[in-house]
Amino acid sequence: LVGSTRSRVAKLALPSVGEQVLNTAVGLADVFLVGHLSLQAASQLGYSSATALAATGLANNFVWLMTVLFIALAIGSTALIARATGAGDVVQQQGILRQSMLLGLAIGLLATLLSWVTARPFLLLINAPPDVLPLGEQFIHTVAWSFVPASLLFIGTACLRGVGDTRTPLYVMLGVNGINILISWLLINGNMGAPILGVEGAAIGSAVARGSGGLLLVWLLWRGISGLKLAGSTERDAGAEREAGVEASSRPTLVDPETLRRIVRIGLPSAGEQLVFQSALLIFVGFVTGLGTVAYAAHNVTITIESLSFLPGLGYAAASSALVGQALGAKAPQQAEAYAYESLWQGGLMMSLLGLLMVCFPQQIVALFVNDPAVVEMAAQPLRAAGLIQPALAVSFILLGALRGAGDTKWPLYSRIITTWGLRLPLTLLLVGQLNLGLAGIWLAMCADFTAQALLALWRFSQNRWKRIKL
């Protein structure tokens, strides 16, 4: 049984980790290429690689803020589809898929509108320097065109994970990365006769790549894949309806208020969790930008590199969510617990090994992403700190993923309020605002936040209340 549990976790989680690697690689490619802005490009564009990095980083804070809306919906979709899968209810699977994608379309349109209206106010709010502001605003406006298909990409892959398909999202993200790297490489430094666009070239690459990925996934789901189908009923769907004594439907209901309500009820606390975190992050980023462009560039590069160590945690959290939901749907709570702890063991080991590399070789790793000596020197110590907290991050990511898969999405919201607003921000005010510890103070506060988050996640999971949640 242990071997079976271990094998199933690995089978679902490893492709999911690969998907997370490729999802993050879109941003990493942009940072790498922008961080290596050629002298000719810098001369023609009128800004340095440090300025380009700062603009890309600040703008991506806004892009991520919009993206969390998609992720919140995805959490509700995964939990509900996983429960339906475990219970063998294929009719409910199709209904949840269709309503999830419909809601994703609406949220994508809303995010696009918000991007055009609030990009500049957002950058001003987080103290973007004058030389960075127009570049960051241009980046946001360009990426905003891809928010509708990107929303459908996030939600569609979450639905596939709910039925246990983590390979299709991996293959889609391979295509996304290929498109992004090609376009960004051509346009940032003007390779092979392409125009030199710098930061704008990175934005175009990301927008076209994610937009293409979203459209591809919609097409796959429209045709039908892994038992899920947007257009009409799948054969399994129709068969299940006939067995239940219901006439098979060739034209599914466009809007199902009850299913929409269930998706929103589960996903809304996750949206609230991210809103709490991101609103605190606005204040937090303001402290970092106040330290100067080089300090912010060092912080941004450190965050980008650290995101690599997050990837096993995010991948195993996604697998844990799906497997816990499926086991609870099958009325097997002890098996759900076994899946969660096995996910923690495997994902935690990977994150700890990556953290060790960050502790031992910080300057060498930073130098791979940026060629500015001042940025490399300043980023070394924060990267060591990031490496040390990887075990705590593994506990937080993976156990909170298991709780979300069970439908317990309120607790992550409460714990985020406690650790981010109750601990990180007061510590930042003390360490940076009063004691003037600079970037070191920023990262001490972050480490305290992540450690407290892990302890609270472990406590909540051990209470076993998540085993009795009804969706």
Side-chain angles (χ1 to χ4, degrees), residues 244-260:
V246 179
E247 183 179 352
S249 58
S250 59
R251 183 176 300 173
T253 302
L254 178 62
V255 179
D256 181 353
E258 176 58 24
T259 301
L260 284 171

Side-chain angles (χ1 to χ4, degrees), residues 95-285:
I96 294 166
L97 168 67
R98 292 164 190 149
Q99 299 308 303
S100 296
M101 298 297 276
L102 180 64
L103 201 53
L105 177 63
I107 295 298
L109 288 170
L110 176 62
T112 301
L113 178 62
L114 285 174
S115 300
W116 281 93
V117 173
T118 63
R120 177 171 284 266
F122 173 89
L123 292 171
L124 289 172
L125 183 64
I126 58 176
N127 298 324
D131 59 333
V132 169
L133 181 61
L135 294 173
E137 185 178 14
Q138 184 183 41
F139 187 100
I140 292 170
H141 286 167
T142 300
V143 174
W145 290 108
S146 69
F147 279 155
V148 170
S151 172
L152 298 175
L153 175 64
F154 274 98
I155 293 166
T157 55
C159 291
L160 287 171
R161 281 193 293 269
V163 297
D165 180 2
T166 54
R167 291 183 181 274
T168 299
L170 173 65
Y171 299 147
V172 171
M173 287 309 302
L174 276 171
V176 168
N177 271 268
I179 294 171
N180 177 63
I181 290 172
L182 175 61
I183 294 177
S184 296
W185 179 78
L186 288 172
L187 296 181
I188 290 175
N189 281 315
N191 289 306
M192 297 183 67
I196 298 175
L197 299 180
V199 171
E200 175 68 1
I204 292 172
S206 295
V208 173
R210 292 194 188 278
S212 300
L215 293 175
L216 173 60
L217 196 62
V218 169
W219 179 74
L220 290 172
L221 288 169
W222 188 265
R223 293 186 61 195
I225 186 170
S226 300
L228 295 178
K229 189 173 184 179
L230 278 171
S233 300
T234 63
E235 288 299 319
R236 288 198 312 147
D237 193 358
E241 289 175 336
R242 284 192 295 269
E243 288 178 11
V246 179
E247 183 179 352
S249 58
S250 59
R251 183 176 300 173
T253 302
L254 178 62
V255 179
D256 181 353
E258 176 58 24
T259 301
L260 284 171
R261 183 191 66 79
R262 292 174 67 203
I263 296 170
V264 171
R265 179 171 57 84
I266 298 170
L268 198 58
S270 294
E273 175 195 351
Q274 292 299 330
L275 181 61
V276 165
F277 178 66
Q278 296 296 330
S279 58
L281 195 62
L282 295 182
I283 302 172
F284 190 72
V285 169

Side-chain angles (χ1 to χ4, degrees), residues 49-103:
S49 61
T51 300
L53 275 173
T56 304
L58 286 170
N60 272 321
N61 278 300
F62 184 90
V63 173
W64 176 248
L65 185 61
M66 295 296 103
T67 301
V68 297
L69 296 174
F70 316 150
I71 293 174
L73 280 177
I75 289 168
S77 301
T78 298
L80 287 171
I81 285 187
R83 284 284 183 108
T85 300
D89 191 340
V90 294
V91 177
Q92 190 176 174
Q93 285 178 344
Q94 310 310 324
I96 294 166
L97 168 67
R98 292 164 190 149
Q99 299 308 303
S100 296
M101 298 297 276
L102 180 64
L103 201 53

Side-chain angles (χ1 to χ4, degrees), residues 36-49:
H36 288 78
L37 197 67
S38 68
L39 293 176
Q40 178 188 354
S43 175
Q44 180 174 320
L45 294 166
Y47 53 80
S48 67
S49 61

